Amino acid sequence: MPIKSAEVNASSVADATRYVVQEFLAARMAGDVERLVALFADDVDWLLAENPAVPWIRARSTGAECAAQFTELTEHTVAEEARASVDTFLVDGTDAVLMGHVSGTVRATGKSYEGPFALRLTVEEGRITRHHLYENSVSIAEACTPSRT
């Protein structure tokens, strides 16, 4: 059965999405904020549950603000103890979903956090236009809250 052009287009869109998401992951791993800014669109649909106890979690909407989240995260956590693993990487057209596990230690409190995460990204015209992160915000907030003595 011959492949239809719509199937080829869908495959090439998915391949482009997968490539941009892989570039995003590589830039995050390398701490390349300049590359992250270039990968995000000028306007981004950013979703991360607001959490006043966590200094790196806040509303964002521009590519530069989204890329800055990486810098803020590294300022507030112990780099040597940060871990993230991706167990699932699904791509459907312009959408990608990553699922895995994240853990780390907050520098100010010395407390650790951990839990599963899911990240939904949308890539349009080679840039990330949607970044929706779902994670264990309770564990992260507890790690950011100083112990009572």
Side-chain angles (χ1 to χ4, degrees):
M1 175 177 229
I3 297 175
K4 298 176 183 165
S5 74
E7 291 172 349
V8 170
N9 279 347
S11 176
S12 62
V13 169
D15 288 343
T17 298
R18 182 177 300 280
Y19 175 79
V20 171
V21 172
Q22 288 171 330
E23 287 292 305
F24 166 77
L25 293 172
R28 287 284 306 227
M29 294 282 296
D32 188 344
V33 176
E34 186 175 312
R35 180 72 180 129
L36 288 170
V37 171
L39 287 169
F40 279 108
D42 295 338
D43 294 309
V44 180
D45 175 9
W46 177 275
L47 177 70
L48 184 53
E50 288 188 38
N51 198 331
V54 184
W56 64 88
I57 296 179
R58 62 179 177 80
R60 299 168 193 275
S61 62
T62 68
E65 289 173 344
C66 294
Q69 192 264 348
F70 173 80
T71 303
E72 294 169 17
L73 174 66
T74 57
E75 289 171 356
H76 294 283
T77 58
V78 179
E80 302 79 33
E81 296 181 22
R83 302 282 182 271
S85 62
V86 175
D87 305 321
T88 305
F89 184 174
L90 305 170
V91 176
D92 183 15
T94 61
D95 290 313
V97 175
L98 304 160
M99 292 181 284
H101 191 84
V102 65
S103 63
T105 300
V106 175
R107 187 181 310 280
T109 64
K111 293 180 178 180
S112 297
Y113 61 88
E114 67 157 340
F117 77 88
L119 173 61
R120 178 183 180 194
L121 299 169
T122 299
V123 176
E124 298 171 311
E125 298 178 13
R127 296 179 78 197
I128 298 168
T129 59
R130 176 185 295 137
H131 180 286
H132 289 189
L133 179 62
Y134 308 93
E135 61 186 359
N136 186 347
S137 57
V138 172
S139 176
I140 296 169
E142 287 173 354
C144 287
T145 304
S147 297
R148 296 179 191 174
T149 52

